[in-house]
C-alpha cells in the first residue's frame, strides 16, 4: 500500500511513485485510518493484495483536489474483506461450534472449488436444521454441516466488521473510491455515513467489485449506501447483496445531485437500485445506463421478492428523478417501480424484460405525483407490461412499446386492458403507444 503525493509535486511523478512502492509501502489499513491526508493525495493498494480490515476515511479533499483510494500494479483488484476466517470447530450435538466474540452480520461457506454459499441465519439453536444454517448467541457460533468444516470447506467466512470502506457517521468531502473488490462485510461494502445536521459532498465511487454483503434471510446489507450530496456512482459490478445493491437514502438531512450510471447489478435480495426518502430532502437523482437483473438460480432459492429499480418516499418525498437508458430483466417483482410520495419522476428509453411474481409488471406506478413514462419497451411482465394506480390526471404515458405473450397488456387504475382500441378510446390518446395483444385474451 503506498501513498501517492499530488500530481503537482515538484518530484517527477513516476520516479516518486516507484520509490515509494519499492522502499516504503505501508502494510496495514490501520495506518491509513490514523493518518491525515491533503487534497490531491492518493492512497493506493497493491493489486493482488488482501486486507482483513476496515478502511475508515480519515480526511477530506476539497474542490481543488479529491483524496483518492485506489489500486496500483498489475493483477486483480485489491481485496478488502469484512470477515475473519474461522477454524477450530468443535462438534456439539450434531452441530459445529466455535467461540466468536461479536455477533456476525453474515456468514459464508467457501467450498473447495471456490464457490461462495450463503449461510442462513436462524433465530435459535432449535431452528438449526438444514445444511448451512447458522446461529450466534452469547459469544458462541453454531453452524450445521455434515462434516468438520475445517476439512470440508476451503474457508468459513464470518463477518466481523460493519463495512469495508467508508464512514459510519460524520462528514468527509471530495473522496474517490475506485478499483477495489469488497466482500463479506456485515452491513455495507461502501458507506457514506449519515449525519442529522450536515452532509458530506462530492464522492466518486467507481470501478469496484462488491459482493456478498450482509445477511439475506432478514434482508440487510447494501453494496453501496450513500446518504450525502453530489455523488457519481459508476462502472461498479455489484452482486449477491443481502438488501440493496445501491441505496440512496435521505436520513433527516438532504440527499441531492447524485448520478448512478453504467453499473451492473444482480441478485440483490431487496432491490438493485433503491432511492428512499427517509426524513430529509431527496431530489435531483439520475439513474442511467445501468443493467439490473436476477438469475433463475437466485430467484429459485428466495421466497421474498425483489424489485430491480425502486423509487419511494415513505417518510419524506422524493422528487425530480430521471430514470433512462437502463436494461432490466428477470426481476421477481417490478422492473421499475415508482412508489408513493414521489413527484416529477421521468422514466424514458428503458427496456424491461420479464418479471416473475404473479402480480408483477415491467413498469409499476403507485404514486399520486406527476410521472412521465415515454419511449420505453416493456416485455412480458408476469401480469402486465404496465400497471398504473392512483390519479391519472398527472400521468404522461406515450410512445412506448408494450409486448405481452400472456397476461394483460396494460392495467390502468384497476381497468384491465387487453384490447388496444379500448385503451386508446378510454384514455383519449392521440400519441402512439404500440402493443402486442395476446390473441387468447381478446
Amino acid at each position: 500500500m503506498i501513498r501517492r503525493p499530488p500530481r503537482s509535486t515538484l518530484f517527477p511523478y513516476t520516479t516518486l511513485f516507484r520509490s515509494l512502492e519499492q522502499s516504503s509501502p505501508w502494510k496495514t489499513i490501520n495506518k491509513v485510518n490514523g493518518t491525515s491526508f491533503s487534497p490531491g493525495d492518493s492512497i493506493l493498494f497493491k493489486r493482488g493484495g488482501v486486507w482483513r480490515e476496515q478502511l475508515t476515511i480519515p480526511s477530506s479533499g476539497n474542490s481543488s483536489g479529491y483524496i483518492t483510494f485506489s489500486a496500483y500494479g498489475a493483477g486483480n483488484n485489491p481485496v478488502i474483506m469484512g470477515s475473519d476466517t474461522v477454524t477450530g470447530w468443535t462438534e456439539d450435538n450434531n452441530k459445529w461450534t466455535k467461540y466468536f466474540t461479536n455477533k456476525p452480520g453474515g456468514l459464508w461457506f467457501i467450498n473447495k472449488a471456490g464457490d461462495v454459499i450463503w449461510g442462513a441465519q436462524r433465530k435459535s439453536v432449535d431452528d438449526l436444521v438444514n445444511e448451512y444454517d447458522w446461529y450466534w448467541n452469547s459469544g458462541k457460533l453454531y453452524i450445521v454441516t455434515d462434516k468438520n468444516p475445517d476439512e470440508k470447506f476451503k474457508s468459513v467466512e464470518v463477518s466481523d466488521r460493519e463495512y469495508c470502506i467508508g464512514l459510519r457517521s460524520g462528514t468527509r468531502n471530495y473522496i474517490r473510491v475506485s478499483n477495489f473488490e469488497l466482500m463479506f462485510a456485515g452491513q455495507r461494502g461502501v458507506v457514506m455515513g449519515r449525519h442529522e445536521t450536515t452532509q458530506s459532498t462530492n464522492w466518486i465511487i467507481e470501478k469496484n467489485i462488491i459482493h456478498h454483503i450482509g445477511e439475506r434471510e432478514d434482508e440487510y446489507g447494501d453494496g453501496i449506501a450513500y446518504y450525502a450530496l453530489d455523488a457519481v456512482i459508476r462502472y461498479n459490478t455489484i452482486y449477491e447483496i443481502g438488501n440493496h445493491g445501491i441505496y440512496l437514502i435521505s436520513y433527516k438531512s438532504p440527499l441531492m445531485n447524485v448520478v448512478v450510471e453504467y453499473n451492473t447489478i444482480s441478485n440483490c435480495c431487496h432491490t438493485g437500485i433503491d432511492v428512499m426518502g427517509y426524513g430529509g430532502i431527496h431530489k435531483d437523482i439520475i439513474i442511467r445506463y445501468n443493467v439490473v437483473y436476477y438469475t433463475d438460480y437466485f430467484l429459485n432459492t428466495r421466497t421474498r421478492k425483489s424489485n430491480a429499480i425502486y423509487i419511494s418516499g415513505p417518510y419524506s418525498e422524493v422528487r425530480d428523478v430521471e430514470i433512462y437508458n437502463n436494461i432490466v430483466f428477470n426481476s421477481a417483482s417490478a422492473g421499475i417501480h415508482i412508489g408513493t410520495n414521489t413527484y416529477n419522476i421521468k422514466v424514458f428509453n428503458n427496456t424491461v424484460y420479464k418479471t416473475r411474481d404473479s402480480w408483477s409488471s415491467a413498469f409499476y406506478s403507485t404514486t399520486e405525483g406527476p410521472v412521465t413514462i415515454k419511449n420505453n419497451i416493456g416485455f412480458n411482465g408476469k401480469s402486465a407490461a404496465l400497471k398504473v394506480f392512483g390519479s391519472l390526471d398527472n400521468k404522461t404515458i406515450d410512445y412506448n412499446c408494450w409486448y405481452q405473450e400472456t397476461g394483460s397488456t396494460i392495467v390502468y387504475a384497476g381497468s384491465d386492458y387487453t384490447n388496444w382500441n379500448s385503451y386508446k378510446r378510454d384514455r383519449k390518446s392521440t400519441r402512439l403507444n404500440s402493443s402486442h395483444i395476446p390473441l387468447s385474451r381478446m
Side-chain angles (χ1 to χ4, degrees), residues 243-262:
N243 202 4
H244 312 97
I246 296 174
Y247 193 29
L248 306 182
I249 178 170
S250 58
Y251 178 78
K252 297 186 179 179
S253 50
L255 188 148
M256 296 185 292
N257 303 322
V258 177
V259 177
V260 178
E261 62 183 4
Y262 298 106

Side-chain angles (χ1 to χ4, degrees), residues 226-296:
Y226 195 78
Y227 293 79
L229 309 173
D230 305 315
V232 178
I233 301 171
R234 63 190 177 196
Y235 296 110
N236 300 285
T237 299
I238 303 171
Y239 62 95
E240 295 285 345
I241 304 296
N243 202 4
H244 312 97
I246 296 174
Y247 193 29
L248 306 182
I249 178 170
S250 58
Y251 178 78
K252 297 186 179 179
S253 50
L255 188 148
M256 296 185 292
N257 303 322
V258 177
V259 177
V260 178
E261 62 183 4
Y262 298 106
N263 301 284
T264 300
I265 304 169
S266 62
N267 292 352
C268 298
C269 292
H270 187 70
T271 307
I273 301 173
D274 198 310
V275 180
M276 180 71 69
Y278 211 85
I281 298 170
H282 203 323
K283 67 177 185 177
D284 299 327
I285 310 298
I286 294 175
I287 300 170
R288 63 187 180 189
Y289 307 117
N290 302 283
V291 177
V292 185
Y293 69 95
Y294 295 83
T295 63
D296 287 340

Side-chain angles (χ1 to χ4, degrees), residues 110-139:
I110 316 300
N111 67 21
K112 296 294 187 179
D115 302 319
V116 181
I117 304 165
W118 285 83
Q121 184 179 14
R122 301 308 180 195
K123 304 298 184 184
S124 71
V125 171
D126 293 337
D127 294 330
L128 297 175
V129 175
N130 299 313
E131 183 89 351
Y132 311 122
D133 285 353
W134 68 273
Y135 172 68
W136 179 94
N137 184 49
S138 300

Side-chain angles (χ1 to χ4, degrees), residues 6 11 17 20 36 40 42 110 114 141 145 149 156 212 218 229 237 270 278 286 321 336 369 390 403 420 441:
F11 295 96
F17 178 91
L20 285 171
S36 295
S42 292
I110 316 300
L141 184 60
T145 185
V156 178
H212 295 95
D218 293 328
L229 309 173
T237 299
H270 187 70
Y278 211 85
I286 294 175
V321 179
I336 298 177
Y403 184 98
W420 190 239
R441 296 291 305 275

